[in-house]
Amino acid sequence: MKKSGLIFFLFLTINSFAQDSVYTRNVINTLTSKVFWGRGYTKDGMKKAADYIADAYQQMGLLPMGNNYKQDFSFPVNTFPGKMMVSINGQKLIPGKDFIINNESPGIKQQANLTPLDSLNYQATPSLTVSLKDKLTWSVATEVGEKTIIHVNKKYFTSIPKEISVDIENKFVPDFQAANVCAFVKGTRFPDSLLMITAHYDHLGGMGADTYFPGANDNAAGVATLLSLAKYYAAHPQPYSIGFICFAGEEAGLLGSRYFVENPLILLNKIKFLLNLDLVGTGEAGMTVVNASVYPKAFALLNHINNQHRYISKINSRGKAANSDHYFFTERGVPAFFIYTQGGPSAYHDVFDQPETLPLTEYRDLFKLIVGFNEKLME
């Protein structure tokens, strides 16, 4: 009877993880859909994503950290809501695939001949240049520069640029309204002690009226994993409270996490450990832990659990880095790891970071590793 009961329990546990992987995949598909428009700065993409996450928290029964699930803040951003036309040598280029515009660029409407500056860079006028690139990588700017720069993918445009026609619309928003989305599951024995799980939900948004950046691995996968863990902990309350924050403004310079640390909704010294999830949609080549060398005991504990259960093939150690939302917490003395996985598609900050090609190779094992790590931290 005991053996059969154990087998049944293990079956239920494995099945729950399987269900969570289905849920996680559905969340990724939703957040990367056209409706959310890259979770960015045009077509209300970021606001729609924040509403979606807050609604998920509410449906799970999580408690808000403040008066509601959202912590509002604002920041300046350069956006591209409308026209995005570039034609070189009479050939119309496809936004995102053939070219991107430098994120600080002002809008421009111009026709001009191109003069080579070198083998990769061409100038039309002092305010307009073209640069040939091996890979197109976009980002977010919080200011507008004086020059419009067009980055053209060498793979899709092989002739020498001689003439250009552009019609690009930008809109600078000095006070873009954003929100961190924050909730927690109250602890059963030590509710004032908190383990935190974080992920940024914003991405690059859209470049023009017809092109958006889905951001499947960056960072719909992190948000989906966070929500899956929130769902698990809502059904299985722990001795410590478990907090969940989805940050806005990460792609604009870690702005959401900095705002939270400067305006905390909970006492930062109550956070016993923070796990930040960013780029966790792969894993066949292992994973890396930022701050591993800063907190060697915690990293040894994570490795012990992983080795015991053979979850992830390899866990790489990395030192301190200001490369995701864990950073400002660590600067305020909050112990934190930033976890990201390796392998799989190389798409990053481009239109090819899509859900269809995101393998979620180690999702279940990462989920179990996080649950096991948190469990040990509460002993």
Side-chain angles (χ1 to χ4, degrees):
M1 288 294 292
K2 288 183 178 179
K3 185 175 180 181
S4 63
L6 177 60
I7 292 171
F8 180 68
F9 173 76
L10 289 173
F11 171 78
L12 288 178
T13 303
I14 292 169
N15 188 57
S16 70
F17 282 121
Q19 290 301 314
D20 280 340
S21 65
V22 172
Y23 173 76
T24 300
R25 177 62 74 180
N26 288 337
V27 171
I28 291 170
N29 289 342
T30 300
L31 289 175
T32 55
S33 67
K34 192 174 182 178
V35 172
F36 292 87
W37 205 250
R39 307 183 302 282
Y41 303 92
T42 56
K43 301 191 181 183
D44 287 330
M46 198 182 301
K47 182 182 183 300
K48 290 175 182 176
D51 290 342
Y52 172 84
I53 294 164
D55 186 60
Y57 285 165
Q58 187 173 32
Q59 289 184 29
M60 293 173 194
L62 271 62
L63 301 172
M65 284 187 189
N67 294 328
N68 54 59
Y69 294 112
K70 293 183 181 180
Q71 182 189 38
D72 297 322
F73 67 104
S74 65
F75 55 93
V77 66
N78 191 30
T79 74
F80 300 91
K83 296 176 182 177
M84 186 59 58
M85 191 283 291
V86 174
S87 176
I88 296 179
N89 298 350
Q91 177 184 342
K92 194 171 181 179
L93 305 186
I94 301 171
K97 181 182 177 183
D98 297 336
F99 79 94
I100 59 171
I101 183 170
N102 179 276
N103 54 22
E104 292 186 358
S105 295
I108 190 171
K109 185 174 183 179
Q110 195 171 94
Q111 288 183 317
N113 293 324
L114 289 165
T115 303
L117 300 174
D118 53 46
S119 61
L120 297 176
N121 296 286
Y122 299 80
Q123 181 169 297
T125 64
S127 61
L128 176 62
T129 60
V130 172
S131 180
L132 303 182
K133 297 288 184 180
D134 290 319
K135 183 188 183 305
L136 301 181
T137 303
W138 210 40
S139 190
V140 178
T142 56
E143 59 186 10
V144 182
E146 297 181 356
K147 180 184 288 189
T148 301
I149 304 172
I150 310 294
H151 298 296
V152 176
N153 194 328
K154 290 194 293 183
K155 294 178 184 176
Y156 299 104
F157 189 87
T158 55
S159 60
I160 296 174
K162 293 182 178 179
E163 57 184 23
I164 187 170
S165 176
V166 298
D167 190 358
I168 291 169
E169 177 189 354
N170 87 304
K171 181 180 180 181
F172 180 71
V173 182
D175 57 348
F176 179 82
Q177 301 298 309
N180 299 323
V181 195
C182 317
F184 71 101
V185 177
K186 190 173 183 178
T188 56
R189 293 182 59 202
F190 308 103
D192 289 338
S193 294
L194 194 71
L195 297 179
M196 190 75 79
I197 299 168
T198 65
H200 75 89
Y201 71 91
D202 66 300
H203 193 51
L204 308 178
M207 192 182 76
D210 302 313
T211 300
Y212 75 98
F213 295 74
N217 196 31
D218 186 17
N219 187 33
V223 173
T225 304
L226 179 149
L227 289 177
S228 186
L229 286 161
K231 187 178 172 190
Y232 171 81
Y233 284 121
H236 305 89
Q238 301 294 302
Y240 288 14
S241 294
I242 311 292
F244 304 91
I245 307 175
C246 290
F247 294 113
E250 193 269 354
E251 302 289 13
L254 313 181
L255 300 183
S257 53
R258 184 175 72 180
Y259 185 84
F260 184 93
V261 168
E262 292 173 351
N263 305 272
L265 299 177
I266 44 95
L267 294 173
L268 296 181
N269 62 11
K270 298 296 184 182
I271 304 174
K272 303 307 178 184
F273 211 92
L274 182 148
L275 292 175
N276 181 55
L277 307 175
D278 196 353
L279 303 165
V280 294
T282 62
E284 52 264 50
M287 76 181 209
T288 294
V289 176
V290 173
N291 274 354
S293 61
V294 180
Y295 304 104
K297 289 184 179 179
F299 185 64
L301 176 62
L302 188 73
N303 269 290
H304 174 73
I305 297 166
N306 188 61
N307 293 335
Q308 189 176 24
H309 297 280
R310 299 180 180 178
Y311 289 140
I312 309 295
S313 62
K314 179 174 63 173
I315 301 182
N316 303 303
S317 171
R318 187 169 171 180
K320 180 179 176 179
N323 56 352
S324 194
D325 287 312
H326 66 287
Y327 176 71
F328 290 108
F329 287 90
T330 304
E331 291 296 284
R332 290 290 184 94
V334 176
F337 284 162
F338 161 31
I339 294 172
Y340 61 93
T341 57
Q342 277 100 24
S346 59
Y348 177 73
H349 275 218
D350 55 38
V351 294
F352 304 107
D353 184 10
Q354 300 170 349
E356 296 84 0
T357 54
L358 190 67
L360 289 182
T361 318
E362 288 295 334
Y363 161 74
R364 295 183 191 183
D365 287 332
L366 180 60
F367 186 108
K368 294 173 187 176
L369 179 58
I370 291 171
V371 169
F373 181 67
N374 282 344
E375 185 178 318
K376 288 295 182 182
L377 290 175
M378 290 183 282
E379 288 183 352

